[in-house]
């Protein structure tokens, strides 16, 4: 049985960036502190990987924009951002219901 605290931590790991408390930092802390809880650890690990990949893609595109190549990649970044937002909402919903979730392509 999944407790309310476990669900809260799993949801927080997916949606902390929406509340401005930290992209990558919150899932990283949860991954490090909840190694003995498979439900929370798995959700936090998935969120950490997804958020890290999104930050890396964003950083790469913004770097390329500064050298004028990346202007063509801005729509691609918007699509990735929308996909990240939608999948993080789905992941939080699955965590709320007590199910596991794996982000697409991870």
């Amino acid at each position: 049985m999944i407790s309310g605290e476990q669900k809260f931590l799993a949801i927080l790991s997916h949606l902390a960036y929406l509340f401005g408390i930290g992209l990558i930092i919150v899932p990283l802390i949860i991954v490090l502190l909840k190694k003995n809880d498979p439900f929370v650890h798995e959700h936090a690990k998935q969120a950490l990987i997804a958020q890290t990949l999104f930050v890396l893609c964003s950083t790469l595109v913004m770097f390329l924009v500064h050298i004028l190549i990346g202007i063509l990649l801005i729509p691609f970044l918007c699509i990735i951002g929308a996909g990240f937002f939608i999948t993080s909402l789905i992941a939080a919903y699955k965590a709320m219901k007590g199910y596991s979730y794996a982000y697409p392509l991870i």
Side-chain angles (χ1 to χ4, degrees), residues 62-99:
M62 289 305 125
F63 173 74
L64 292 174
V65 164
H66 287 293
I67 58 174
L68 298 176
I69 298 171
I71 291 176
L72 301 173
L73 295 175
I74 290 177
F76 173 72
L77 185 62
C78 292
I79 291 169
I80 288 178
F84 171 68
F85 176 72
I86 291 167
T87 56
S88 65
L89 291 177
I90 293 169
Y93 176 77
K94 295 281 188 170
M96 181 180 72
K97 293 294 184 180
Y99 302 125

Side-chain angles (χ1 to χ4, degrees), residues 14 46 70 76 91 100 104:
H14 292 293
Q46 286 287 320
F76 173 72
S100 63

Side-chain angles (χ1 to χ4, degrees), residues 4-5 11 18 23 29-30 32 37 52 57-58 62-63 67 79 95 101:
E5 178 186 359
I11 292 168
L18 291 176
L23 185 66
I29 291 170
I30 294 172
L32 294 174
D37 186 342
T52 303
C57 287
S58 299
M62 289 305 125
F63 173 74
I67 58 174
I79 291 169
Y101 181 77

